[in-house]
Amino acid sequence: MTHDPYASPAGPVPARSGELVLVTGGNGYLGAHVVRRLLDTGHRVRATVRSPQRAAEVRAAAAAGGAADPGERLEVVRADLSADAGWAEAARDCTYVLHVASPFPAGVHSAACAARVCPMFMALPTA
């Protein structure tokens, strides 16, 4: 038996089958976990990405670990936190919104940005 990193330590979570949940940043580390867990509990998911080319990453993460293909229960839409366009459509008909996207300012190296947020980051080993 393989370990499922997405499994709830409390056991199965009853789902309100078919409820639509918007997950911002569906291709990010946290977003991918949230999308997978929601699908596993019977929800429908609409995940946002900044670039349409990232949609395949969301679908691949959702099917990781032998999970069934979510098919039409997973929709990936374009919406960027730095603009208003697309958000009204993305949230339409959603019961819940889980905002887990994290923007990085343009032109800022991720380590430099993280160092401003958490100075201890620079003390951590990189390998």
Side-chain angles (χ1 to χ4, degrees):
M1 182 173 185
T2 61
H3 172 70
D4 181 359
Y6 300 99
S8 170
V13 176
R16 295 181 180 162
S17 185
E19 286 184 320
L20 181 59
V21 181
L22 175 65
V23 178
T24 66
N27 62 309
Y29 178 79
L30 183 58
H33 285 271
V34 170
V35 167
R36 168 83 185 274
R37 185 71 179 132
L38 287 167
L39 290 168
D40 286 349
T41 57
H43 291 85
R44 294 179 300 129
V45 176
R46 182 176 295 147
T48 67
V49 293
R50 283 182 288 171
S51 169
Q53 291 78 19
R54 309 294 298 261
E57 294 174 23
V58 177
R59 290 200 165 276
D69 179 359
E72 293 182 10
R73 291 188 313 118
L74 174 60
E75 178 184 1
V76 182
V77 298
R78 185 190 181 288
D80 191 324
L81 292 175
S82 66
D84 292 337
W87 288 105
E89 295 83 12
R92 183 166 292 131
D93 299 324
C94 291
T95 305
Y96 304 102
V97 174
L98 297 177
H99 177 47
V100 297
S102 178
F104 270 92
V108 175
H109 186 274
S110 61
C113 186
R116 280 198 312 264
V117 174
C118 179
M120 291 299 295
F121 177 81
M122 297 310 287
L124 297 175
T126 58

